[in-house]
Amino acid sequence: MAKIRKILVANRGEIAVRVMRTCKELGIATVAVYSEADRSALHVRTADQAFLVGPPPSRESYLVQERILEAAKKAGADAIHPGYGFLSENASFVRACEKAGITFIGPPASAMDAMGEKTRARQNMIKAGVPVVPGTAEPIATVEEARAYAEKIGVPVMLKAAGGGGGKGMRKVERLDDFESAWRAAKSEAMNAFGNDAVYIEKYLEKPHHVEIQVFADQYGNTIHLNERECSAQRRHQKVVEETPSPILTPEMRAKMGEVAVKAAKAVGYVGAGTVEFLVDVHRNFYFLEMNTRLQVEHPVTEWVTGLDLVAWQIKVAEGEKLPLTEAPTPNGHSIEVRIYAEDPARNFMPSPGRISYLRVPGGPYLRDDSGVFPGYTVPNFYDPMISKLSVWAPTRREAIERAKRALSEYVVKGITTNVRYLKGIVSHPEFVAGDYDTSFLTREHETLQGKEDPQLTEAALLASVVYAYQRDQKRAKTLPQTSSTGGKGGISAWRQSSRRR
């Protein structure tokens, strides 16, 4: 297959910038697409060419396949990298690229078809002998049928959208009395997010860990895994902090999960970068959850401990090269990534779009900030509010935690509200430091992680400041000349008048 000369990145923000940086290192020209809200965005400035693809809403710009392909043809791009989100897991877009003679940097449409719809993925994994979380193998048509199934396996259960992930269309049901309202909410959210309201049921595992395995495959049937990532620090089923190696996995468990992940990828003829996600219960049994047929947000931590550039691998595999490795590399050191969002944790994590008036990014050794923003940039309110990913590496987990804490203490963003303080609370929390935290960790410790002020401590601090000010003024008064009781030049009266003027 011929070498790729020019890549259109069908995405925005930090992931578009990250892909373009690797392209430039490989000598490949880059093309950006942007909505009207992203005219001055960093990914537009980074690319060699840029094309407007529509109004701010993604459904009218970044999700319009025809406009993306038209931009690729105008630019003379011979390949498209989808990043993650948007069209990255859209099988019809892959077929449209093939029809247009453009290389799609990702898995074939058939693999997306097999894994993109969650219930179909479960069926395929059951056939392949991969352990799955107990639940329905197909979407359930009616609320009555769904409730009866939930009653049969017992609550708590999870209602989950069959047509997508990312925490959309998911509801935990702890009481059967709440089932119908949760059913309606899950179907409505699934329809809005994916255009598909199909919902299935899984048994809810108590205190599970969310552990995923990075897999990679070439066009010649070679498939390997690149170890795991621990993703249990999540809010509303959205990952917030990721790390590798997982603090709960033994080398034996890593090898076993990796073997299953490779088996899952081979079962659907996978090519390129993908992630097989698992839930691990309190007894350390693991179950297939889903497969993300794309590059993951948290791929930098894998790059830190393997020394590999996964985007470069994606491009080379798309060009027809074989994988350079035949087995999983041993993890070197420890890496942690935190996702920095333009949101207000004190207001139920409400997005906080607006203009960044000041930005100071942390520095120092073994630190990486994948960002799509800059001072003066206005964060739009049309897209996911993640503005950057801060990741660190260190020889040990304890050192990586300390480096992450130090880096977060240096991160300053003004003009908008961010979750930087909240993230520092997470990596400083004893449960996170101990390493055995589960997917309910952030919900359970919500109040603590907010770092809310104690009213009694606030009052004590106020009283202390008043006492300090009084004592300071008394000390000043004693050091001034006492010429008369009425106060002449330099007397108490003059000092008081001077204090008033100050």
Side-chain angles (χ1 to χ4, degrees):
M1 189 176 288
K3 290 288 184 180
I4 293 171
R5 298 173 296 101
K6 183 182 287 188
I7 292 176
L8 181 145
V9 183
N11 219 296
R12 63 178 301 278
E14 58 83 19
I15 184 56
V17 174
R18 186 266 172 276
V19 172
M20 290 172 188
R21 284 173 173 158
T22 287
C23 289
K24 288 182 183 295
E25 291 175 8
L26 295 175
I28 298 172
T30 57
V31 183
V33 290
Y34 64 95
S35 72
E36 292 171 356
D38 278 337
R39 286 183 183 275
S40 63
L42 187 58
H43 76 282
V44 176
R45 300 182 180 193
T46 304
D48 298 305
Q49 292 174 273
F51 291 84
L52 175 68
V53 289
S58 56
R59 65 180 179 278
E60 299 176 33
S61 51
Y62 295 106
L63 290 173
V64 182
Q65 299 182 27
E66 296 79 10
R67 292 180 185 173
I68 302 296
L69 289 169
E70 183 183 357
K73 290 175 183 176
K74 284 182 179 178
D78 48 2
I80 291 178
H81 193 299
Y84 41 70
F86 292 148
L87 296 170
S88 63
E89 295 182 276
N90 189 308
S92 70
F93 182 61
V94 178
R95 293 188 175 96
C97 288
E98 292 172 354
K99 187 176 180 181
I102 297 172
T103 299
F104 178 82
I105 300 176
S110 58
M112 285 190 183
D113 286 334
M115 288 298 200
E117 214 259 0
K118 307 308 177 188
T119 50
R120 190 181 301 123
R122 284 169 61 83
Q123 293 166 16
N124 288 327
M125 292 302 97
I126 291 170
K127 289 178 185 176
V130 174
V132 301
V133 178
T136 59
E138 297 180 354
I140 298 182
T142 68
V143 65
E144 292 79 16
E145 185 183 354
R147 182 188 169 100
Y149 185 86
E151 214 168 340
K152 177 183 175 182
I153 65 172
V155 290
V157 297
M158 289 294 293
L159 297 175
K160 305 182 76 170
K168 304 295 184 183
M170 292 179 65
R171 290 293 184 278
K172 179 184 176 184
V173 183
E174 299 190 57
R175 302 185 315 139
L176 288 173
D177 289 346
D178 301 329
F179 193 89
E180 290 188 25
S181 61
W183 170 266
R184 287 193 299 270
K187 288 182 75 68
S188 174
E189 190 171 76
M191 175 58 77
N192 290 335
F194 314 116
N196 178 0
D197 70 349
V199 172
Y200 68 102
I201 296 178
E202 280 184 353
K203 179 65 179 174
Y204 180 79
L205 301 180
E206 297 293 342
K207 296 186 176 180
H209 282 256
H210 188 145
V211 180
E212 62 190 26
I213 302 289
Q214 174 74 60
V215 295
F216 232 103
D218 62 25
Q219 299 177 27
Y220 307 97
N222 303 309
T223 307
I224 65 169
H225 74 87
L226 300 176
N227 305 311
E228 83 286 354
R229 294 183 289 255
E230 174 79 45
C231 305
S232 297
Q234 49 187 254
R235 177 180 59 77
R236 298 172 186 162
H237 311 292
Q238 292 264 10
K239 301 163 188 173
V240 179
V241 178
E242 299 98 349
E243 63 177 312
T244 189
S246 167
I248 68 162
L249 258 60
T250 61
E252 294 75 22
M253 192 173 177
R254 175 179 299 114
K256 190 173 181 181
M257 291 181 73
E259 182 182 342
V260 170
V262 167
K263 184 177 182 181
K266 285 187 171 182
V268 296
Y270 202 80
V271 175
T275 304
V276 182
E277 308 206 12
F278 297 93
L279 288 181
V280 181
D281 67 17
V282 291
H283 305 294
R284 299 301 185 255
N285 299 309
F286 61 90
Y287 305 91
F288 171 83
L289 181 62
E290 63 185 22
M291 183 174 187
N292 287 309
T293 54
R294 54 174 168 77
L295 193 68
Q296 291 280 84
V297 177
E298 56 274 20
H299 74 274
V301 296
T302 296
E303 293 183 326
W304 272 119
V305 300
T306 61
L308 303 171
D309 183 334
L310 299 192
V311 172
W313 270 37
Q314 286 186 296
I315 294 169
K316 290 175 182 179
V317 164
E319 290 177 329
E321 290 191 25
K322 289 185 177 181
L323 293 178
L325 297 178
T326 56
E327 59 183 25
T330 301
N332 175 33
H334 200 95
S335 181
I336 297 172
E337 176 186 284
V338 296
R339 303 187 187 191
I340 296 173
Y341 286 92
E343 64 182 12
D344 188 351
R347 299 176 64 200
N348 197 27
F349 300 94
M350 184 178 292
S352 174
R355 183 177 180 274
I356 296 175
S357 58
Y358 177 84
L359 176 65
R360 188 185 73 192
V361 177
Y366 305 111
L367 187 151
R368 170 175 167 179
D369 183 60
D370 287 41
S371 174
V373 301
F374 51 86
Y377 174 71
T378 297
V379 179
N381 61 351
F382 300 99
Y383 315 110
D384 184 276
M386 187 175 73
I387 59 174
S388 130
K389 303 179 315 195
L390 177 67
S391 59
V392 300
W393 179 91
T396 67
R397 184 172 187 269
R398 181 70 222 187
E399 290 172 291
I401 290 173
E402 292 303 318
R403 181 158 289 151
K405 286 162 61 176
R406 189 269 300 169
L408 284 166
S409 69
E410 292 181 8
Y411 217 119
V412 180
V413 187
K414 293 184 179 180
I416 61 171
T417 303
T418 71
N419 66 334
V420 169
R421 182 180 177 185
Y422 177 75
L423 292 170
K424 190 174 180 183
I426 294 174
V427 298
S428 303
H429 194 283
E431 194 168 333
F432 181 86
V433 172
D436 195 11
Y437 56 97
D438 57 68
T439 56
S440 64
F441 164 51
L442 296 191
T443 302
R444 188 172 59 251
E445 297 296 321
H446 178 71
E447 292 298 321
T448 302
L449 296 171
Q450 289 294 307
K452 291 183 177 179
E453 296 178 349
D454 185 328
Q456 292 182 333
L457 292 177
T458 302
E459 184 178 355
L462 181 61
L463 288 172
S465 65
V466 170
V467 170
Y468 168 77
Y470 174 78
Q471 291 175 336
R472 179 199 61 197
D473 290 349
Q474 290 290 60
K475 186 176 180 180
R476 284 179 179 173
K478 288 178 181 178
T479 60
L480 291 171
Q482 304 290 318
T483 56
S484 71
S485 60
T486 56
K489 234 180 186 181
I492 293 294
S493 185
W495 176 78
R496 284 175 177 158
Q497 290 173 8
S498 174
S499 295
R500 289 194 196 99
R501 285 196 296 271
R502 287 200 300 270

